[in-house]
Amino acid sequence: MIKLTSKASLIVGLLVTISALSTNSLAAADDSHAEALAHTELSQAAMTRMQISTAKATAGQLALTRQLYGVVVPRQGDLVALSSPYRARIIKVTVQQGQHVDAGQQLALLENLVSGSRFQLLAPIAGEVVSRQANVGEIVEQAVLFEVLNSQRVWVELSAFPADVEALEVGQTATLNDLHQHRQANGTVSYISPQMSAGHIAKARIELANESGHWRPGMHVSANVRVAQRDAEVVVKRAAIQTLEQQTVVFVRQDQRFIAQPVTLGIQSGDWVEVTDGLAVGSEYVDGNSYLLKADLLKQGASHSH
Amino acid sequence: MIDNLIRVVVERRWLVLLATLIMAGIGVYSALRLPIDAVPDITNVQVQINTQARGYSPLETEQRISYPIETAMAGLPRLAYTRSLSRYGLSQVTVVFEEGTDIYWARQQISERLQQLGAELPRDIKPKMGPIATGLGEIYNYLVTTEAGASKADGSPYTAEDLRTIQDWIIEPQLVTVAGVTEVNTIGGYARQYQVLPDPAKMLAYKVTLQQLATALQLNNRNAGAGYIEHNGEQWLVRSAAQLKTLSDIADVVVVKRDDTPIRVADIAEVSYGKPLRTGAATADEQEVVLGTAMMLMGENSRVVAQAVADKLEQIQPSLPDGVRIEAVYDRTRLVDKTIATVEKNLFEGALLVVVVLFILLGNLRAALITACVIPLSLLFAMTGMVANKVSGNLMSLGAIDFGLIVDGAVIVVENSLRRLALAQQQVGRVLTPQERLSTIIKSTREVFNPAVFGVLIIMVVYLPIFALNGVEGKMFQPMAFTVVAALLGALLLAIIAVPAALAVLMRGRIKHAENPVMRQARRGYQPLLRLALRWPLLMVGAGALVFALSLWQAEQMGSEFLPQLDEGDIAMHALRIPGTSLTQSVSMQKHLEAVVNSLPEVAHVYSKIGTPDIATDPMPPSVADTFIILKPRSQWPQPDKPKAQLVQELRSKVQDLPGNQYEFTQPIEMRFNELIAGVRADLGVRIYGDDLATLKELGEQAAQIIRQLPSATDVRVEQMSGLPTLSVTPKRDHLALLGLTVSDIQQSLQQATGGIQVGLIYEGDKRFPLIIRMADDWRGDLSRLGRLPVDVPASADPDLRYVPLAEVADLTLSNGPNQINRESGKRNVIISANVGDGDLGSFVADVQQALRQQLTLPAGYWIGYGGSFEQLQSATQRLSWVVPLALLLIFALLYSAFSSLSATLVIFTGVPLALSGGIFALALRDMPLSISAAVGFIALSGIAVLNGVVMLSFIRQLREQGHNLADAVFEGAQQRLRPVLMTALVASLGFVPMAFNSGTGAEVQRPLATVVIGGIISATLLTLVLLPALYYWLERRRTTQP
């Protein structure tokens, strides 16, 4: 009996010890897991001195833009070239180059060489005479005599490369800049070519109003097209993002303690970037001089050998 | 023969004195030419080969530059080893030669090899040898800065670029002409650059390619000579000057013509002064500055050269534009003057003490003066020897001269002559005639000739082991040994040649020879003690043995250190940040750091070097900064006697508050020495050699883990080999092929955007500045914009396809690349460093070796090597362990040849261990550890101990030969020799007293030496007076009683 009791108590004792140890180790494991996130401590004085600033994570609207280059071209049908239907002699030219004409206005008077009758050349559209190749007394047959351009509205043809084309959609808004950043205009993508040219370029088209006459066909422009717009739940400043040992992190503040919180990022636009996972709205994070915190965490490895 | 020598010397005394005067004159001349520095130069013989490789990553640098150079250097005669480091844009190969190699010859060899190598290196890569300077070379640092509120002629304030241009083109060319300056190194500011910043959109609009722009700038910027024409008897030189001179000239260059209109550079690009991509910057007192360093040629006199530099800068100051001034921030003469002051103080006080003691004990002023004159004369003799053998005068060499030791020989001669003259005078009852005087002097000199010469010879022999030291400790102590031996040689020559002559000349008339009261007291006290010793000789011997045993036990208890470090007065602080920190970030962090440092009241000013200067003597990445903290003189501190260690501790706690920095505290010269001698600065360095970087990194981390387990290991660190953020632009080759582009098209566009392409030079008088094409900063700062960078597609069929964005044809990825690749003797390696906490170094190293052997498995092709400062300690102790017994054996042999009696020799030899005990107790009393410095003191001590024994014993034997019995001979002999023994002992120990208690600059290196010698002399004298007669008496009695 005694032997059994002592054996039993031994077994019980062993079991108790094992369970105690395991809970201990579990607890320890939990603790160590919680401690697994790298962190550092900084005093308020140090923060002020090093200009480390914080902000609260908020929801926000992000717009993703792509920059494309393009050329201003006249709208289809806004540039017409007129020539004589018959072999004729020019009797009168009533317009000068650069003159504004209305639709139906007479441009020139010609005499049919064969029949001898006179006929007029009328401007089919309102616009500006941009080219006058006709002079009185000339014999013309098929040459282009006048070009009339209506540049009240123009098209901007943007060169979209394969990566761009995937992101573009009809209806997206864009801001256009001329080369010298003097003027800006807004427009909407109205057409994306289904074909690619030999150089893997698809044309995307934006229509622009051009009352001022600033957007001359032939002009090179650059366009920032807003390809995506999202209401993000959490956005942070781009300056807050750092990489720590292959992970993207944001430094979250808890009193004077700063924890390197791994985050997953979404789209970024300008100074802001969306955080899809890892950060809650309202958390205080470091946005100014966040590099200093990364430096502080890794500084154990800072060395200099020769 | 000796008799003849002495007779000639005394008879031709005036000639001898004249010769002495001439020697003194030569000595003074040499003293003026002696190279003086604060500390001995412990740099090894090495040549640095620095190669700038703009844009090369560490891997490419290693593969294309470091490796070929290293291989080319293999097999050089007298080569010790090579090591290299490969970093972004820089390769540094250090070639170390054996000690004693001539540096110019070494450079010649290297330059030949580099020339042969030329073709193997990539184009535009030019290796350059570093300056001929050593760790002591940076003797003068100055800032180029402006007065508050100063402005240029056009009213705008001076920019960092203006200051740098002034430094590069006005100050540096003049400063380099100063004799002794080999190089002027600059860091900080911006070197001027003319920049053309093209706008890609405009280039597209005008259909201009980068190549066209570059060609236009290259071809429109030349001067040409075109021979000469003769015209009516005159010769006219033909010349066409069409170089671009100003920004507007550059802007007006026509690139291409479109529609009859020239398209100029200004239409497609912005032209301005640009900021180049810097490798280094400098700050001082929270401002960015331009810092210049004057580097001294190897072997020159630092004091003279630093003074010349200061003078030259004063001359240059007026030629600078208004409002710009040069401010000195570090001048080596300060430290040199302070250490020389310490040395001078020691020497002067020591000499004074010696003279006073001599006078007191001799009782005769003239005799004391003659003996005292030996001091400066032997010093001058030593300096002549030093100049002839290119030994520099510094804290160690000049500071370790003990005048007491040096005048020993003279003291013996003078004391005996004085005694004999007084005796003769007494016997004759009147003043001696010149004949009598001369003959007395001759006889007395002959009497002590042997012991005097042997004594000095023995002291000289005792210093010989120091010449056997090599490495760092050898460089530190050999000058000292040389100086002391040279001084001793001079003193010996003087003692046997000049001193008798001087005595013969000066000791005329009435010889005052009273036994002065001090001696009388000493004699009265000594006699009973001597009688006691002779009655109980064995007891005395037993007491002596006990004392020795006690001292050995004490020695076991004491700590040990390698070498005490000279306190330079200033602090150098390494501020280390993580690899990959940008220069701008580092500069801003540094400014904050300087603000904190300046808040301490003891700091006069701070200046820092961040990154690598022009000449990459110490290539630091932008994440490392050397901060020099110049302290105010101690008298201006709020607590003038605050120990420096405490100040460093306060500083450390203040700067820990700043995030992101890791610190190492050291001193300016110490830091340079460490960097040059290099290898590992910790106690133990484990190197793992191998080929693959990733494997090395892993093995390194495993080894560090293993070492951390050991109980006495602290500060275990693996050297950071990776972690450099790299943006890799990898071309997509198939996409390229489709578009007709090549890899070099992409790379050229990329280089233009981020790095810049040089297309020519702009001359401003003498000055030359590069002309660079580079994109504006907003293209380079934004990664997504960089992806939009248009790459020109040359001559494509489709007119629409004139460009393609970079992201289409290349992958842009951010990754961590290797930071630095180290190679040693041709193999890559990773270094794990560790310090020993408590426990001694030797057993710690053995533990580490065992642990690694058992627990670390190395793949084939990988092996371990061990290094660090423990190597030096080991090699020094090993060397000393056979050299010191050898020296003792030599002494033994000398003694035996002098006395031809084994027992006499042994008796004298007992002086050595007992002298050592006194030294050990003295160290323990002052709480100092054992060190190489103390060991050198022990070496000096043994010589002194033996000398006194020689003096006493030779006299005792002489008396015996004259017929006295043993007991009488011993008693009388000891009595007679009391005065010279006391004199030599007092004089030798007092000579070191100032050194033992000095607290000036440099004293901490000399104090152990002085302490040991003083303690040892006290004990050695005691036993010479008491134990030696007893022992001799006992031994001789036993011998004579046994038939």
Side-chain angles (χ1 to χ4, degrees), chain B residues 81 470-471 473 562 678-680 682-685 687 689 824 841 845 849 865-879:
Chain B
Y81 63 92
N470 56 7
E473 61 278 9
F562 182 50
V680 183
D683 287 338
L684 171 66
R687 276 186 207 257
Y689 294 87
E824 196 192 293
L841 194 47
V845 172
Q849 283 173 331
Y866 295 90
S869 68
F870 89 95
E871 266 186 329
Q872 293 171 326
L873 189 60
Q874 255 186 3
S875 80
T877 40
Q878 216 178 29
R879 205 155 263 269

Side-chain angles (χ1 to χ4, degrees), chain B residues 737-1007:
Chain B
L738 284 173
L739 294 168
L741 281 174
T742 62
V743 164
S744 95
D745 290 327
I746 298 198
Q747 289 177 345
Q748 208 184 20
S749 292
L750 184 65
Q751 274 179 315
Q752 176 213 11
T754 54
I757 300 179
Q758 179 165 348
V759 289
L761 288 171
I762 306 290
Y763 291 86
E764 277 180 32
D766 263 350
K767 309 177 196 156
R768 299 194 290 182
F769 303 106
L771 176 62
I772 308 265
I773 298 180
R774 197 169 87 199
M775 294 266 192
D777 277 344
D778 47 353
W779 276 94
R780 299 168 50 237
D782 194 336
L783 284 181
S784 50
R785 270 204 101 179
L786 200 58
R788 313 296 315 167
L789 184 71
V791 178
D792 291 326
V793 179
S796 85
D798 190 329
D800 279 332
L801 182 64
R802 278 174 293 104
Y803 79 97
V804 65
L806 184 63
E808 279 289 327
V809 288
D811 286 319
L812 282 81
T813 41
L814 264 182
S815 59
N816 272 342
N819 181 21
Q820 174 176 311
I821 303 179
N822 291 333
R823 298 177 74 95
E824 196 192 293
S825 296
K827 226 30 189 193
R828 282 182 180 169
N829 59 73
V830 65
I831 303 175
I832 305 114
S833 60
N835 282 329
V836 59
D838 22 77
D840 76 302
L841 194 47
S843 58
F844 174 64
V845 172
D847 287 341
V848 166
Q849 283 173 331
Q850 197 190 31
L852 286 178
R853 223 174 308 149
Q854 284 174 351
Q855 298 174 36
L856 188 67
T857 37
L858 294 172
Y862 291 78
W863 67 93
I864 303 185
Y866 295 90
S869 68
F870 89 95
E871 266 186 329
Q872 293 171 326
L873 189 60
Q874 255 186 3
S875 80
T877 40
Q878 216 178 29
R879 205 155 263 269
L880 284 176
S881 66
W882 64 263
V883 162
V884 170
L886 190 65
L888 291 177
L889 207 67
L890 263 171
I891 298 175
F892 201 88
L894 269 175
L895 287 174
Y896 191 74
S897 74
F899 291 105
S900 313
S901 151
L902 197 62
S903 58
T905 314
L906 277 174
V907 164
I908 296 177
F909 225 74
T910 56
V912 175
L914 289 162
L916 293 186
S917 343
I920 292 176
F921 285 130
L923 276 181
L925 253 162
R926 291 197 75 183
D927 211 13
M928 288 181 180
L930 291 170
S931 59
I932 304 284
S933 186
V936 173
F938 284 126
I939 289 173
L941 194 53
S942 355
I944 303 169
V946 166
L947 180 66
N948 275 342
V950 167
V951 164
M952 184 166 288
L953 208 63
S954 62
F955 203 74
I956 294 178
R957 278 161 58 105
Q958 257 179 10
L959 284 178
R960 283 190 77 193
E961 272 159 32
Q962 286 171 8
H964 295 89
N965 72 27
L966 180 62
D968 281 339
V970 171
F971 193 77
E972 272 309 309
Q975 282 255 24
Q976 294 273 8
R977 298 285 89 188
L978 175 66
R979 187 169 75 168
V981 166
L982 268 184
M983 274 177 71
T984 48
L986 259 176
V987 139
S989 55
L990 284 177
F992 267 132
V993 159
M995 207 188 288
F997 293 101
N998 200 340
S999 60
T1001 307
E1004 58 275 338
V1005 179
Q1006 298 176 311
R1007 255 184 273 147

Side-chain angles (χ1 to χ4, degrees), chain B residues 430-443:
Chain B
R430 56 168 168 79
V431 173
L432 297 170
T433 66
Q435 263 322 99
E436 288 169 338
R437 194 174 69 229
L438 292 183
S439 70
T440 317
I441 290 178
I442 292 175
K443 221 181 342 167

